[in-house]
Amino acid sequence: VGSEMCIRDRPLLAQKSLERIANETGVEGETLYNEGKFLQAAQKFEEAVAKLQEAADTDGIPLDKEKINQWWFYAFNGYFRGENYEKAIHALDERLKLNPGSWDIINNKAIILKTKLNKVQEAIDVLIDYNKDKRSFQTEKKIADYYADIDDFQNALKWYESAYELKQDSKVIRNIATLYVKLGDNAKAVQAYEDFLDTNPRESILIQT
């Protein structure tokens, strides 16, 4: 009877921990990625994240957020290279939870929404939402550029002028003037250039403008 109990107990003792399963799944993902199987790799990295989360919930181990962030980064690259852009966006959203306020993640999300999914307004909304907390020239100029790309000249003008408040950029003032011309207001186009001259720009920027 005693030896039977040992035999029965052995499989239980040999069971892998959830954390180990998670790490092995992550290694599988790396192997698949290196083989060029990007979508399969991305799915493995997602599985690895889920298993590590389960290990933290079930076994009470500290959640390794750095590892999770890395796996979501690899998952994003796998989905992107595998051209599953909706899932790539999902991976970016998961990374954003771990890296709140990251411009690189927000910028990548906006670019994919606009260029790969043709969701320009959604991309604009992402940028506007980000800009509420971290107003910046590069964000406001990109919002203006995206509006200009869909021929929404009024909103493009609004955001170029807002960006210009933050930085007196020669390309932005040119865009402002061009939009006034397109909107049939030549006088304001001229005024835009005159306002620019009043800032006493450097000669190199003056020549460009």
Side-chain angles (χ1 to χ4, degrees):
V1 176
S3 67
E4 270 189 27
M5 287 180 67
C6 288
I7 290 169
R8 287 173 184 169
D9 287 348
R10 202 168 296 145
L12 295 175
L13 295 173
Q15 280 184 350
K16 295 178 182 177
S17 69
L18 292 170
E19 183 181 16
R20 181 177 171 184
I21 293 170
N23 288 327
E24 289 179 353
T25 305
V27 171
E28 287 179 50
E30 289 178 25
T31 301
L32 288 166
Y33 190 91
N34 291 331
E35 291 174 353
K37 299 173 182 176
F38 301 121
L39 290 177
Q40 290 170 266
Q43 288 164 1
K44 280 294 177 185
F45 287 124
E46 248 193 281
E47 288 175 26
V49 170
K51 193 58 69 176
L52 195 60
Q53 182 68 60
E54 186 183 348
D57 295 340
T58 304
D59 300 336
I61 65 168
L63 187 61
D64 190 339
K65 291 185 178 180
E66 186 175 340
K67 185 175 285 184
I68 287 178
N69 183 53
Q70 186 179 45
W71 282 341
W72 276 122
F73 175 76
Y74 292 149
F76 162 71
N77 279 284
Y79 284 129
F80 183 82
R81 295 191 68 177
E83 299 183 4
N84 188 331
Y85 300 117
E86 294 285 0
K87 292 289 283 183
I89 290 290
H90 170 68
L92 287 175
D93 284 339
E94 291 298 325
R95 287 199 67 219
L96 205 54
K97 293 175 185 176
L98 299 165
N99 305 273
S102 168
W103 165 249
D104 288 340
I105 296 174
I106 289 292
N107 191 38
N108 281 334
K109 182 176 180 179
I111 290 170
I112 292 170
L113 285 168
K114 179 180 183 289
T115 63
K116 301 299 184 181
L117 297 173
N118 198 32
K119 296 181 178 180
V120 185
Q121 188 58 56
E122 197 171 326
I124 290 170
D125 292 341
V126 165
L127 292 169
I128 290 175
D129 188 58
Y130 174 82
N131 195 63
K132 289 175 184 175
D133 296 325
K134 289 190 175 184
R135 190 181 173 205
S136 73
F137 171 80
Q138 65 178 348
T139 308
E140 296 189 0
K141 181 180 180 299
K142 186 178 280 285
I143 294 168
D145 289 341
Y146 281 14
Y147 271 125
D149 286 344
I150 57 173
D151 294 338
D152 187 340
F153 299 139
Q154 290 285 3
N155 272 313
L157 181 60
K158 167 190 164 184
W159 283 99
Y160 278 131
E161 289 182 330
S162 183
Y164 189 71
E165 290 174 6
L166 299 175
K167 181 181 177 183
Q168 281 67 57
D169 182 83
S170 59
K171 291 180 181 177
V172 169
I173 200 68
R174 182 180 63 202
N175 289 338
I176 289 171
T178 299
L179 286 171
Y180 273 127
V181 171
K182 286 183 177 180
L183 292 168
D185 198 335
N186 293 336
K188 282 193 176 179
V190 172
Q191 186 62 51
Y193 282 126
E194 289 180 350
D195 290 344
F196 174 71
L197 292 173
D198 287 341
T199 66
N200 296 315
R202 295 197 311 272
E203 187 175 354
S204 60
I205 296 177
L206 181 61
I207 291 169
Q208 284 182 337
T209 308

